[in-house]
Amino acid sequence: MAKVKKQPRPKAEAPRGFRDYFGAEVTERTAMLARIAEVYHRYGFDALETSGVETVEALGKFLPDVDRPNEGVFAWQEDEDGAWVALRYDLTAPLARVAAQYRNDLPFPYRRYAMGPVWRNEKPGPGRFRQFYQCDADTVGAPSVAADAEICAMLADTLEAVGIKRGDYIVRVNNRKVLNGVMEVAGILDPADPSKFEAERGIVLRAIDKLDRLGPEGVRALLGEGRKDDSGDFTKGAGLDDVQAEVVLGFIDARRDSGAATVARLRELVGASETGRAGADELETIASLLDAQGYGPDRVLIDPAVVRGLGYYTGPVFEAELTFEITGDDGKPRQFGSVAGGGRYDDLVKRFTGQEVPATGVSIGVDRLLAALRATGRAEAQAEGPVIVTVMDRDRMADYQAMASELRTAGIRAEVYLGNPKNFGNQLKYADRRGAPFAIIEGGDEKDRGVVQVKDLKLGAEIAESATLDEWKAQPAQFECPRGDLVATLKERLTR
Amino acid sequence: MAKVKKQPRPKAEAPRGFRDYFGAEVTERTAMLARIAEVYHRYGFDALETSGVETVEALGKFLPDVDRPNEGVFAWQEDEDGAWVALRYDLTAPLARVAAQYRNDLPFPYRRYAMGPVWRNEKPGPGRFRQFYQCDADTVGAPSVAADAEICAMLADTLEAVGIKRGDYIVRVNNRKVLNGVMEVAGILDPADPSKFEAERGIVLRAIDKLDRLGPEGVRALLGEGRKDDSGDFTKGAGLDDVQAEVVLGFIDARRDSGAATVARLRELVGASETGRAGADELETIASLLDAQGYGPDRVLIDPAVVRGLGYYTGPVFEAELTFEITGDDGKPRQFGSVAGGGRYDDLVKRFTGQEVPATGVSIGVDRLLAALRATGRAEAQAEGPVIVTVMDRDRMADYQAMASELRTAGIRAEVYLGNPKNFGNQLKYADRRGAPFAIIEGGDEKDRGVVQVKDLKLGAEIAESATLDEWKAQPAQFECPRGDLVATLKERLTR
């Protein structure tokens, strides 16, 4: 072997924008995804796991918002044939490839779910990483809005299954076709020549998408001449007159007290537009299908104010919001907000086969939903540290290992301290760091007397915090127990 | 938006060497990993999930067997600063980086487990993919062989937890230090000048590593002058004389009837070598620690014939083998073989910090273990298809959805057929493809009479296969049941 030149030490750092997840950060997410998978499975969805790498050709035009090819993905050339491959940026593009590649073998409609990391070559920011999880469910090849209704019901079931209480969430449903109808009425969409007014419609879509941030007045300005933002930058508007703008604004403000009233209002707005009426019909069908299964407007609601994704989807659009309040960064309470979104889209498989295949699906924001579970104390912790069996006598390691083994057999997480046992203080410091509930001590004296010392570290911490002398005397944080009773004693204390 | 030029259709193909996993292929693996994680957790190991991307600098010299930098990994340059990053090729290199990066924050000894995909830029072959799963558990910062013994016990528990019966596996333990002692005795390792005979030792290590494939005679040839293989290629040997070769061969043949006898034989072989005696002591300690916890030689066995990894590890080396027989590619029965391996290694963190940190760990071959569970029918299937509610009347979709919803609420996997319902034959074909146990039919007539038709598709397939007319009459594969009894009827049939 050639001798290696002495090199400077490498930096021990994750690459910029990537992070590490420790302990409960991993297990809580795993537990949540397992619960989600269980619901998806029960709905007849099958798991699909594609690899992280796809050909650039199959990935297609990359992120919806980005024009330049290759922008936003991590790509490289294969050594052998120079083919470009890239890390997947979402789970939909691989689904499209799979639905095309296996079109003769898969059962259609193909219901599939997928969970896993995706990668984005974007500037990292606070809480914004270049690898993160997605969790999608899609139905490919089902033209009926029954498929959309099913996704909405499943989304509601999923949220409840992971621990979001009924009443703490709402799935809102809108429809791109209704918006198209509204744009026909506003005179910026001509069914006979869809290429006309493309620029105006683009501005309208982008304006509507900013409803949350700008409010109705900001959107109105963008529908008209344009708008100067706080920094003084001017954004050109769509140039609609007041009457036109009123029609468009009427759409996002069309929600009424009942689903039926909302649909009636939408019918007014779309007038004679065939597309618009089809969209209103679809919303009505979805609502009635869901009603029949017991998913009333307390869980799934027709709401034309759902605007995210209207530019991307082609029919029904859904969004799940958590309605309970959390404390925002500014210290004020605010609604938790969106944790999932989806809708119906065409052209999924068409890029590959030329054949149009209808598809509808939903994507859960894994990190956001997990944050919500943590905020409400509903993440499945599994975070308790192990019982630490300390080492008082190096030569009796076998006894300590056997003790830990006994505890584990009884289902108690346990380990022997395996660092240098010389300094007993270090052993207790380690137990603290591990969040251990108990440390077990068995020195020569205890061994002779057939007992062990148990340090209740949680209680010890509480006592150190606040206990009076009497309380401390009444329930000492360290006690002795017969060696034979150790498992039973810890078991009892751990479950109370 | 700029108009897009018409381009040829992209190929719907995964990149060369990457594959897709469907349905049970995914869920069986997930279930197996969950069981493994449970055991690791109980042993006090904490989850760690690093991202798929690391700096090339942190990854270091890449795969153990490869000399050229960058060889074997997928690497690319960052847009902004030109830094090289790469997909991880195993889970040990990221652990080294994490142990160094967080050395002041982590509790040491740091017990961690990790599960996830790794990537290798290698020529794909049959059953050999460029992305695959690894599942590792390591203890960093524990110098004592008690840590090695713990890994061996945990490995045995893990195999039983996933469904390998006791008696169907064995964890074999060897020690690199003993081999070093043997090489001292054979005169090819001089403790005073370890750089001498490096080439010879390299050849010896590679020769031993081929024991499985070449047998003792082949190894003996490689220890001596060399060996011509079947294709006529000559491999140069280490040039040992017969006496020297006998010592080395004595090592891999040192297993005796009991652990004590094996250790005694090893002590003979290593003579006065200090390193060799330390290695024998370690094996003895591991065996006695495990004995005390009830892991006898029926589960964990000292066996100097374990040669894989001896070139890589620095102390104890372990390998888990499944001992039951399967039918090999040649139609002959053979042992299933290795499913996990590991050992003790130094220098894990040293590259980054200059400080030597001892570490020991094990890696389970996820695909091999899963194949073993499938071979023995012990993979957790979750493979049953959903009950298919067929659509006889498009306008009654809400009823069908409600029916599926009812079944799901009772815990039965169920879905409504969402393709074009016109051709009923297609609905049944779909149910077949999904592996559905039942198809439910409720036309207008059934609706009026308050009943549903249930097609038992599994039974139907059996009958089509082999039933006599009488059998067919006695237990028809299609029957009618009151609508109100549907859930109870299916539940009863599914569990029997």
Side-chain angles (χ1 to χ4, degrees):
Chain A
M1 228 196 307
K3 283 210 180 152
V4 180
K5 260 191 294 180
K6 200 158 187 182
Q7 288 184 331
R9 284 183 196 141
K11 277 205 205 87
E13 275 176 18
R16 211 168 42 95
F18 293 92
R19 59 159 291 193
D20 304 304
Y21 296 84
F22 292 91
E25 291 176 333
V26 178
T27 52
E28 285 172 2
R29 182 178 56 215
T30 305
M32 184 183 86
L33 292 177
R35 284 183 178 275
I36 295 174
E38 212 179 298
V39 176
Y40 288 178
H41 179 79
R42 206 158 60 232
Y43 268 83
F45 285 67
D46 272 351
L48 169 67
E49 189 171 314
T50 59
S51 76
V53 182
E54 294 279 345
T55 67
V56 160
E57 186 188 357
L59 281 183
K61 67 178 180 61
F62 309 125
L63 300 174
D65 304 335
V66 171
D67 285 337
R68 275 186 296 159
N70 265 21
E71 178 92 338
V73 301
F74 294 105
W76 66 91
Q77 259 180 310
E78 287 268 66
D79 294 334
E80 288 188 26
D81 53 7
W84 279 92
V85 294
L87 291 177
R88 65 183 180 201
Y89 58 83
D90 72 4
L91 300 174
T92 308
L95 169 62
R97 194 260 304 155
V98 165
Q101 182 172 350
Y102 305 92
R103 63 187 175 281
N104 297 323
D105 308 311
L106 287 171
F108 281 97
Y110 177 46
R111 289 177 176 90
R112 87 87 180 78
Y113 71 85
M115 309 173 157
V118 302
W119 293 265
R120 302 260 170 107
N121 192 357
E122 294 172 331
K123 226 191 164 84
R128 205 179 143 90
F129 297 98
R130 299 164 93 194
Q131 173 178 328
F132 55 93
Y133 268 76
Q134 287 198 334
C135 168
D136 288 16
D138 295 82
T139 302
V140 180
S144 146
V145 290
D148 302 278
E150 179 178 271
I151 296 268
C152 291
M154 187 166 77
L155 186 51
D157 283 8
T158 300
L159 293 174
E160 294 186 20
V162 299
I164 306 290
K165 277 183 293 192
R166 200 171 296 184
D168 273 354
Y169 71 89
I170 188 84
V171 178
R172 300 177 199 275
V173 186
N174 197 358
N175 196 305
R176 169 63 192 260
K177 288 181 187 167
V178 177
L179 175 59
N180 279 1
V182 169
M183 294 202 284
E184 279 182 35
V185 171
I188 53 171
L189 175 59
D190 178 356
D193 182 1
S195 68
K196 264 163 70 178
F197 309 116
E198 245 181 24
E200 285 80 0
R201 289 200 303 277
I203 297 174
V204 167
L205 280 168
R206 282 192 293 278
I208 288 181
D209 202 39
K210 291 178 184 148
L211 177 63
D212 274 359
R213 203 148 47 80
L214 304 182
E217 277 319 299
V219 174
R220 177 184 287 269
L222 286 174
L223 294 177
E225 288 314 308
R227 179 178 175 277
K228 201 183 269 185
D229 67 19
D230 292 342
S231 72
D233 284 349
F234 185 77
T235 308
K236 193 174 170 297
L240 304 194
D241 65 28
D242 281 356
V243 177
Q244 290 176 303
E246 211 52 53
V247 175
V248 173
L249 285 170
F251 168 65
I252 54 182
D253 194 37
R255 190 175 130 200
R256 297 293 177 266
D257 280 345
S258 73
T262 304
V263 170
R265 171 65 182 142
L266 291 176
R267 289 197 198 284
E268 274 174 38
L269 284 169
V270 300
S273 158
E274 215 171 291
T275 308
R277 281 151 68 175
D281 287 349
E282 288 182 3
L283 284 175
E284 199 164 26
T285 306
I286 289 172
S288 80
L289 284 172
L290 288 168
D291 260 337
Q293 293 170 70
Y295 297 82
D298 58 324
R299 292 202 271 169
V300 188
L301 184 71
I302 294 175
D303 187 351
V306 171
V307 291
R308 280 215 313 192
L310 275 181
Y312 174 68
Y313 295 111
T314 54
V317 176
F318 2 101
E319 180 149 15
E321 273 175 46
L322 304 189
T323 51
F324 58 80
E325 287 189 340
I326 53 162
T327 305
D329 293 337
D330 54 3
K332 288 182 194 153
R334 61 168 183 81
Q335 284 208 347
F336 190 89
S338 173
V339 291
R344 179 167 283 275
Y345 47 100
D346 298 330
D347 293 358
L348 181 73
V349 183
K350 198 180 177 189
R351 284 185 59 235
F352 294 102
T353 64
Q355 240 182 327
E356 200 154 287
V357 177
T360 182
V362 67
S363 185
I364 291 179
V366 173
D367 290 326
R368 289 213 26 100
L369 184 54
L370 194 52
L373 296 183
R374 286 184 185 136
T376 53
R378 290 183 172 261
E380 281 171 70
Q382 217 202 21
E384 177 114 289
V387 172
I388 306 292
V389 177
T390 62
V391 174
M392 301 301 288
D393 179 352
R394 239 182 237 270
D395 293 335
R396 293 201 23 252
M397 188 56 97
D399 290 350
Y400 301 131
Q401 294 264 28
M403 204 184 287
S405 181
E406 248 178 65
L407 289 166
R408 287 194 289 259
T409 303
I412 298 171
R413 191 180 192 206
E415 56 169 64
V416 176
Y417 180 73
L418 287 183
N420 187 337
K422 221 167 165 187
N423 181 336
F424 188 66
N426 280 347
Q427 299 200 44
L428 290 184
K429 252 184 244 161
Y430 172 84
D432 254 0
R433 279 202 163 180
R434 294 301 311 274
F438 300 102
I440 313 299
I441 303 159
E442 193 201 49
D445 168 58
E446 283 87 6
K447 174 75 178 164
D448 291 342
R449 290 167 43 228
V451 299
V452 293
Q453 301 286 335
V454 179
K455 264 183 109 72
D456 187 328
L457 300 169
K458 296 254 144 90
L459 184 60
E462 282 166 32
I463 287 174
E465 193 91 350
S466 66
T468 64
L469 184 63
D470 284 346
E471 283 168 347
W472 181 82
K473 279 185 182 163
Q475 203 190 14
Q478 179 165 340
F479 59 93
E480 198 172 285
C481 95
R483 171 69 181 81
D485 295 349
L486 177 63
V487 170
T489 303
L490 294 198
K491 219 168 174 161
E492 197 256 318
R493 289 209 165 210
L494 280 168
T495 49
R496 84 182 173 197
Chain B
M1 230 196 309
K3 282 206 182 158
V4 179
K5 260 190 294 181
K6 200 160 186 181
Q7 288 182 329
R9 282 182 197 143
K11 277 203 206 89
E13 276 175 15
R16 209 169 44 96
F18 293 92
R19 60 160 290 194
D20 305 304
Y21 296 83
F22 293 91
E25 291 177 332
V26 178
T27 53
E28 285 172 2
R29 184 179 53 214
T30 306
M32 184 183 87
L33 292 178
R35 284 182 179 275
I36 294 174
E38 213 179 298
V39 176
Y40 288 178
H41 179 79
R42 207 158 60 230
Y43 269 82
F45 286 67
D46 272 351
L48 168 67
E49 189 171 314
T50 59
S51 77
V53 182
E54 295 279 345
T55 66
V56 160
E57 187 187 356
L59 281 183
K61 69 177 180 63
F62 310 127
L63 300 174
D65 304 334
V66 172
D67 285 337
R68 274 187 297 157
N70 264 21
E71 176 91 337
V73 300
F74 294 107
W76 64 92
Q77 261 182 308
E78 286 271 68
D79 294 337
E80 289 190 25
D81 53 7
W84 279 92
V85 294
L87 292 176
R88 65 183 179 200
Y89 58 83
D90 72 4
L91 301 174
T92 308
L95 169 62
R97 195 259 305 155
V98 164
Q101 183 172 351
Y102 304 93
R103 63 186 175 281
N104 297 322
D105 309 311
L106 288 171
F108 281 95
Y110 177 46
R111 287 178 177 90
R112 86 90 181 75
Y113 70 85
M115 309 173 155
V118 302
W119 293 264
R120 302 260 171 108
N121 191 357
E122 294 172 329
K123 227 191 164 86
R128 205 179 142 92
F129 297 99
R130 298 163 96 193
Q131 173 177 329
F132 55 92
Y133 268 76
Q134 288 199 335
C135 168
D136 288 16
D138 295 83
T139 302
V140 180
S144 145
V145 291
D148 302 277
E150 179 178 89
I151 296 267
C152 291
M154 187 166 77
L155 186 51
D157 283 7
T158 300
L159 293 174
E160 293 187 20
V162 300
I164 305 291
K165 276 184 293 192
R166 200 171 297 183
D168 273 354
Y169 70 89
I170 187 84
V171 178
R172 299 178 200 274
V173 186
N174 196 358
N175 195 306
R176 169 61 193 260
K177 289 180 186 168
V178 177
L179 176 58
N180 279 1
V182 167
M183 293 202 284
E184 278 182 36
V185 171
I188 53 170
L189 175 60
D190 178 357
D193 183 1
S195 68
K196 264 162 72 179
F197 309 116
E198 246 180 24
E200 285 80 1
R201 288 200 303 276
I203 297 175
V204 168
L205 281 167
R206 283 193 293 278
I208 288 181
D209 203 40
K210 290 177 185 149
L211 177 63
D212 273 0
R213 202 148 47 80
L214 305 182
E217 277 319 299
V219 174
R220 175 186 289 270
L222 286 173
L223 294 177
E225 288 314 307
R227 180 179 175 275
K228 202 183 267 183
D229 67 19
D230 291 343
S231 72
D233 285 348
F234 185 77
T235 308
K236 193 174 168 299
L240 304 194
D241 64 27
D242 281 358
V243 178
Q244 289 176 305
E246 210 52 54
V247 175
V248 174
L249 285 170
F251 168 66
I252 53 183
D253 194 37
R255 190 174 132 202
R256 297 294 177 265
D257 280 346
S258 73
T262 303
V263 170
R265 171 65 182 142
L266 290 175
R267 287 196 199 285
E268 273 173 39
L269 284 168
V270 300
S273 158
E274 216 171 291
T275 308
R277 281 150 69 174
D281 287 349
E282 288 182 3
L283 285 175
E284 198 164 27
T285 306
I286 290 174
S288 81
L289 285 171
L290 288 169
D291 260 336
Q293 293 170 69
Y295 297 83
D298 57 325
R299 293 202 271 169
V300 187
L301 184 69
I302 294 176
D303 187 351
V306 170
V307 292
R308 278 215 315 191
L310 276 181
Y312 174 68
Y313 296 110
T314 55
V317 176
F318 2 101
E319 180 149 16
E321 273 175 46
L322 304 189
T323 51
F324 58 79
E325 287 189 339
I326 53 163
T327 305
D329 292 338
D330 54 3
K332 288 182 194 152
R334 60 167 183 82
Q335 285 209 346
F336 190 89
S338 175
V339 291
R344 179 167 283 273
Y345 47 100
D346 299 330
D347 295 357
L348 181 73
V349 183
K350 199 180 175 188
R351 283 185 59 234
F352 295 102
T353 64
Q355 242 182 324
E356 200 154 287
V357 178
T360 183
V362 67
S363 186
I364 290 179
V366 173
D367 290 326
R368 294 224 6 112
L369 183 55
L370 195 51
L373 296 184
R374 286 183 186 134
T376 52
R378 289 182 172 260
E380 283 172 69
Q382 219 203 22
E384 176 113 291
V387 172
I388 306 292
V389 178
T390 61
V391 174
M392 302 301 288
D393 178 352
R394 238 180 236 271
D395 294 335
R396 293 204 19 254
M397 189 54 97
D399 290 350
Y400 302 131
Q401 294 264 30
M403 204 184 289
S405 180
E406 246 177 69
L407 289 167
R408 285 193 289 259
T409 303
I412 298 172
R413 191 179 192 205
E415 57 169 65
V416 176
Y417 180 74
L418 287 183
N420 187 336
K422 221 168 165 184
N423 180 336
F424 187 67
N426 279 347
Q427 299 200 44
L428 291 184
K429 252 184 243 161
Y430 172 83
D432 253 0
R433 278 201 164 184
R434 293 302 310 274
F438 300 102
I440 313 297
I441 304 159
E442 193 200 49
D445 168 57
E446 284 87 7
K447 173 75 179 165
D448 292 343
R449 290 166 42 229
V451 298
V452 293
Q453 301 285 337
V454 179
K455 265 183 110 70
D456 186 329
L457 300 168
K458 295 255 142 91
L459 185 59
E462 282 166 32
I463 286 174
E465 194 88 351
S466 65
T468 64
L469 184 63
D470 285 344
E471 283 168 349
W472 181 82
K473 280 186 180 162
Q475 201 190 16
Q478 180 165 340
F479 60 93
E480 198 172 282
C481 96
R483 170 69 181 82
D485 296 350
L486 176 62
V487 169
T489 304
L490 293 198
K491 221 172 171 156
E492 197 254 320
R493 288 208 165 213
L494 279 168
T495 48
R496 86 181 172 196

